[in-house]
Amino acid sequence: MLILTRKLNDEINIDGEITIKIISISDNQVKLGIEAPRDVQIVRKEVLDRVKENTKDALNKIKDKPSEIKGLKIKKI
């Protein structure tokens, strides 16, 4: 992990396409402004973790489904 010290209004550039600017600094928060191409996905880590957990839960429910389906009968019309 690269660790940088920045001041208010300082910027960091990543790969010539992504710019991160320190917008404000207060008590225990830093507000960042991010400029990036539209095809670059920017997601807060806690949201990404929640999506991964929900996807994992959904996959587990799908895996459990076949045993429930075995007990069902097909009704011929």
Side-chain angles (χ1 to χ4, degrees), residues 22-47:
I22 309 301
I23 302 295
S24 69
I25 303 169
S26 61
D27 297 331
N28 198 22
Q29 289 187 329
V30 176
K31 189 177 284 184
L32 304 172
I34 303 170
E35 290 181 11
R38 288 196 170 273
D39 62 331
V40 174
Q41 190 176 36
I42 301 169
V43 181
R44 290 180 298 162
K45 173 87 166 66
E46 65 271 18
V47 172

Side-chain angles (χ1 to χ4, degrees), residues 27-68:
D27 297 331
N28 198 22
Q29 289 187 329
V30 176
K31 189 177 284 184
L32 304 172
I34 303 170
E35 290 181 11
R38 288 196 170 273
D39 62 331
V40 174
Q41 190 176 36
I42 301 169
V43 181
R44 290 180 298 162
K45 173 87 166 66
E46 65 271 18
V47 172
L48 181 63
D49 290 345
R50 203 173 327 135
V51 168
K52 284 181 179 178
E53 189 62 35
N54 288 343
T55 301
K56 185 178 168 184
D57 289 347
L59 288 172
N60 286 336
K61 286 180 182 176
I62 290 172
K63 287 179 185 174
D64 294 341
K65 207 84 168 177
S67 62
E68 296 174 10

